[in-house]
Structure formats: C-alpha cells, structure tokens
Amino acid sequence: MRPEVPVAAIAHQADKLLSPDWAKVVEITPEAEGIATYWLELEDESLRQRYRFAHGQFNMLYIPGYGEAAISISSDPEKPDRIGHTIRFVGNVTRAVSRLKVADQVGLRGPFGTAWPIEQYKGRDVVLSAGGIGLAPLRPVIYEIYNHREDYGKVVILYGARTPKDLLYVNEFPVWEEKDIELMVTVDRADQDWTGQVGVVPMLFYRARFDTNNTVVFSCGPEIMMRFVVFEGLARRIPPEHIYLSLERNMKCGQGMCGHCQMGPFFICKDGPVYCYEELEPYFHLEDL
Amino acid sequence: MDQEKELIECLQAIPWFQSISEKHFSMIASVAKIVTIDRGEWLFKQGDKQESLYVVIEGRVSVELYSSVRGYLRVFTAEPMDVVGFSSVTPVVRQRTASARAVLDSRLLALDSAGLNRLCEQDHELGYIVMRRLANVAASRVMICRLQLVDLFAHPTGEDENA
C-alpha cells in the first residue's frame, strides 16, 4: 500500500501546477566535489506555512534562462519550512544552481512523486541501500528514523561512493551512529589513507545482519547497483513487496503529462520515483526501457 | 587462552565450518593456525609463493594490486569472515596474484593450502564442501569486480546535460 503524500502543496489550483513559486537560498552546505546542499525557504509566508513533503518526494527547481531540474528533497519532513536539496552539478540547470549564493532566488514547484512508505514499517528492521547521490532522497527516511528511533528495529545503512571524497553527509555519520543506526560504507577506489572498505554496495549485504523475515529494503542509486541490491535482497528471502526502489529518469513536468520520464506503463514523475519492486519487477530488467 | 582452544573457538565462529561433521572439523583444524598482523603489515605480496588461505577473524585486510605507475591500488577489503587468498587452493595458480595487508590490527585463521588440498583429495566429501564454498567466494568476487569495472558512479559527459 502506498503512503498518502502531499501533492504539490504550493499550488492548490490546477492552473498553478506548472508555474513555480519563489524561494530564497538561506544556506549552502558543500557536501563533496561538485555536490552541495541548497537550503531554501519559500518567500511567501502563507505558502511556507502550508508547504509539506514526504520522504522521497522531489521538487522542480527553476533558474530563469536555464530551465528546470527535478531534485530530490534531502531534508527533514518534520521541518518543512527549510527545504534541503542536495544537488550534483552536471547539467545546464544544476551548473546555474552552483553559481547561486545565499539570498539568491530560485523557482520551486512541488512536491511531486511518491514517497518511501517508512511509517508502514514501524517495528521492523530497515535496510537503506544507497549509492552516490542516491543517499540524498533517503536522508529524509534517516531523519524519520532518527526522530522516532524507538519505533523501528535494527537499522542498517549500506552506502557506497566512487571514492572517500565523494561520500555525502560524512559529518552526520557519527550522529546517526549515536542513535544506533549501523552504517556500512564502501568505496570503489581508495588511497592508502582510507581504512574503510573497498568494494561495492551489494557486497555489503554479505556483511549486514538483520532479520530477513521482518525487514524492508529501501534503495536508491545507479540502476545497475539497484539490480544487484534487489538480487541480494531476494537471495536473503526478503519478499519483493518489502523492497522499494527510487528511480531517476528525465523528469520535466512533474504531472505525468509530457512523457519524458516514461518507463513502461509508468510516468516516473507521477507514479514514482519510489516504487515497490513487486510492481516494477516485469519492467526492471528489460533493456532499452 | 591456550592456542588449541583459541583455534577451535575461531573455527567454530566461522559459518563455513558450522555445518560440517566432527570428522571434517578435525581435519580442517589439523591444517589451521591463527596469525595476527599489525595495521600496515603485509600478509603476503604479489609474486609470493601461495602457502595459505586465510579467513579474517578480526580486523580488516586490504587486497591490493601494484602498478608501477600508480603504486598500490586497493581493489577489495576483507572484513571478518571474508576469505583472502582463495586462489591458493586452485590447482593452477602458483604465486600470489595480489598483495594483502592489514588496514587495521587483524587476526586471521590461516589454512595451509597444500594440506587442505591433500585433505580434499583424500576425502571428496570434504573436498566438495570446501570447493563449493570457494566457488561462492570466487563468484562474489567476480560480481564485485564487474561492478567496479562498470564504474557505477562515473558521470559520462553528455548525460543529464539539461538537468
């Protein structure tokens, strides 16, 4: 069962769903080379008070003259007045974002998409499996667990990046671990200073210990990585209905109207980005989809 | 703790040996010993003669390849219960194909490769158990290498150019 999610709280009128509202950059947190978290506050106070989002949803960020990009919300849903977006600077829009400074304006539409159904899994073990910037859409789930730690069983984060310098939120790792959230980190390549693991995220499943009969897996990262995460999860007899993935496609309208983000019968921006593997399974392994 | 007791406890802690018969357990114990290495110390280096197969008990051991241009490249990290040097029990490989050193102070179970091979030849049931386990280790390492080769997190030029 999918959780109920806030739907484009900014624009209650249908004709406003495609027009952005303005937000101000209030803080910029550098996370890694070419990646930073932009903390935004909506300028309109009534909108700011009404704005809500769920774990795993995204906003469309707009820079005049450059266009829009779909960016996952990486902050705490319980603090919706300050919206965090962790952004990798890879294209025209995100490179324009990288030139923004505190107090600059950015257009914002959203929130859009489905959410991680974390609250349905209270009392269970939770495995969060993330690769690269895929940790960003999972961070709201970490906040939920952090804020309500007693509601969940064992919690394990399996996180991988290309190199130690590419790891996100490293300053928060000790805080998470203090709350009995087990963190297993690996990198693809490392120099001699790195005392952690070298390998890939699915490999961490060999080492993680959790109750497979009572576990939910949330995963976000490159699709190849998620294929192997699914493989490892199923191999440990975690049922497909307890595995959730967040997909990334070329999201444009956020309404399921333009078709840019279609995958099989789904429009990722509207039907996703978070899917239960059970519904995705017929399409997930198809090539060229 | 005396050495034999320590050895038995280590063997009992390894899932691989938890479901084997008492007879096979004793056979394995006859070719096993405990080794400890300090952080930064080499367990073996590429080109060394293959003498032992290791299972990490405590600590962390990195597997590294040497390139004359780039120096030592860390390709895998073995955690507790991981196997290091599995090719030492294959019939073809005679020399270490990679180097291994302790990233943290480490304690390992060392199985004499020649002795283990001999036992596997003598008792094919034990041989099947050992080789099945090693096939699993080899398969997982191949999978890991493939994913590393794919360079999952690289960002090809041109992708998401509009994002």
Side-chain angles (χ1 to χ4, degrees):
Chain A
M1 192 176 69
R2 288 176 169 229
E4 295 222 349
V5 293
V7 194
I10 273 183
H12 289 289
Q13 303 132 331
D15 61 342
K16 275 207 77 190
L17 284 171
L18 291 172
S19 64
D21 280 283
W22 294 105
K24 191 175 278 182
V25 177
V26 292
E27 189 183 341
I28 301 168
T29 312
E31 304 287 0
E33 194 180 331
I35 301 175
T37 299
Y38 285 73
W39 296 90
L40 308 180
E41 270 180 17
L42 286 160
E43 292 188 338
D44 183 310
E45 194 178 336
S46 80
L47 280 179
R48 192 163 63 239
Q49 285 175 1
R50 274 188 288 139
Y51 187 86
R52 297 286 180 275
F53 64 91
H55 324 86
Q57 287 193 293
F58 66 93
N59 283 321
M60 299 299 298
L61 297 190
Y62 168 62
I63 306 289
Y66 293 91
E68 276 190 317
I71 308 289
S72 297
I73 305 170
S74 60
S75 55
D76 185 350
E78 291 183 18
K79 296 174 183 168
D81 52 328
R82 204 163 172 270
I83 315 159
H85 298 84
T86 302
I87 301 173
R88 183 167 59 167
F89 312 129
V90 289
N92 293 330
V93 180
T94 50
R95 278 197 289 267
V97 171
S98 75
R99 294 189 284 273
L100 294 178
K101 297 182 221 44
V102 171
D104 282 348
Q105 270 188 328
V106 57
L108 188 153
R109 288 193 297 131
F112 296 115
T114 53
W116 303 106
I118 182 64
E119 289 171 356
Q120 290 171 23
Y121 287 93
K122 285 184 175 174
R124 293 183 185 244
D125 290 359
V126 181
V127 175
L128 306 177
S129 161
I133 199 156
L135 188 59
L138 280 166
R139 189 162 68 156
V141 174
I142 300 172
Y143 282 121
E144 156 67 22
I145 292 167
Y146 183 90
N147 293 338
H148 308 279
R149 184 65 189 89
E150 65 285 354
D151 289 346
Y152 299 93
K154 182 163 186 180
V155 179
V156 188
I157 300 173
L158 312 177
Y159 177 41
R162 198 179 192 199
T163 73
K165 286 180 186 165
D166 297 314
L167 293 167
L168 302 181
Y169 314 133
V170 285
N171 294 337
E172 295 178 41
F173 289 179
V175 181
W176 298 344
E177 286 176 317
E178 268 175 31
K179 279 270 187 171
D180 196 25
I181 296 172
E182 188 180 345
L183 186 63
M184 301 175 78
V185 176
T186 188
V187 297
D188 281 3
R189 292 129 206 241
D191 59 21
Q192 300 304 321
D193 298 332
W194 172 248
T195 58
Q197 298 191 45
V198 174
V200 292
V201 171
M203 171 194 85
L204 298 175
F205 268 84
Y206 306 156
R207 292 160 187 167
R209 297 282 172 266
F210 45 84
D211 177 3
T212 53
N213 295 317
N214 194 32
T215 294
V216 63
V217 176
F218 293 160
S219 184
C220 185
E223 271 187 33
I224 306 172
M225 184 206 88
M226 289 197 289
R227 275 216 305 272
F228 282 92
V229 165
V230 168
F231 177 81
E232 296 295 340
L234 295 176
R236 279 152 189 78
R237 300 176 196 278
I238 296 173
E241 63 268 26
H242 293 165
I243 300 175
Y244 290 83
L245 311 174
S246 180
L247 299 186
E248 190 184 334
R249 281 292 191 278
N250 184 19
M251 270 97 95
K252 290 290 180 195
C253 68
Q255 304 292 302
M257 291 194 296
C258 73
H260 281 93
C261 63
Q262 187 169 5
M263 190 186 98
F266 303 118
F267 293 108
I268 307 285
C269 71
K270 184 166 142 286
D271 307 316
V274 175
Y275 290 89
C276 178
Y277 178 65
E278 193 178 32
E279 66 182 319
L280 213 54
E281 197 271 335
Y283 313 99
F284 194 55
H285 298 277
L286 297 180
E287 294 176 6
D288 296 327
L289 200 60
Chain B
M1 194 189 310
D2 68 55
Q3 286 183 341
E4 195 179 333
K5 196 175 167 200
E6 186 189 5
L7 178 65
I8 298 298
E9 281 186 6
C10 280
L11 281 166
Q12 285 170 338
I14 298 170
W16 189 9
F17 303 128
Q18 282 169 357
S19 55
I20 62 175
S21 67
E22 254 180 63
K23 176 187 145 194
H24 289 151
F25 189 90
S26 302
M27 289 167 83
I28 296 280
S30 72
V31 294
K33 65 178 182 185
I34 304 288
V35 295
T36 55
I37 49 172
D38 294 333
R39 178 180 175 163
E41 193 181 336
W42 292 103
L43 182 62
F44 54 76
K45 296 193 87 169
Q46 71 191 54
D48 284 355
K49 197 176 158 212
Q50 299 264 32
E51 285 173 340
S52 298
L53 163 80
Y54 299 93
V55 182
V56 180
I57 306 293
E58 288 170 4
R60 186 172 283 163
V61 173
S62 68
V63 177
E64 304 180 21
L65 288 173
Y66 182 76
S67 149
S68 56
V69 182
R70 297 163 65 189
Y72 282 101
L73 303 168
R74 200 167 282 185
V75 292
F76 179 74
T77 313
E79 295 274 303
M81 303 305 138
D82 280 341
V83 170
V84 178
F86 68 88
S87 59
S88 66
V89 284
T90 61
V92 189
V93 183
R94 298 275 179 271
Q95 293 180 318
R96 296 290 184 192
T97 53
S99 303
R101 70 171 137 187
V103 178
L104 307 173
D105 292 346
S106 299
R107 198 159 67 104
L108 302 97
L109 180 82
L111 297 164
D112 172 60
S113 303
L116 187 62
N117 269 333
R118 197 172 52 250
L119 293 175
C120 291
E121 288 292 345
Q122 280 168 11
D123 185 327
H124 286 182
E125 195 182 334
L126 175 67
Y128 173 72
I129 293 167
V130 170
M131 290 306 157
R132 186 176 61 172
R133 169 65 187 165
L134 290 180
N136 207 26
V137 171
S140 67
R141 296 293 163 82
V142 169
M143 188 273 279
I144 290 164
C145 286
R146 282 178 179 163
L147 286 175
Q148 284 171 318
L149 273 176
V150 169
D151 199 2
L152 291 175
F153 305 114
H155 203 79
T157 315
E159 191 187 312
D160 293 342
E161 202 46 50
N162 294 317

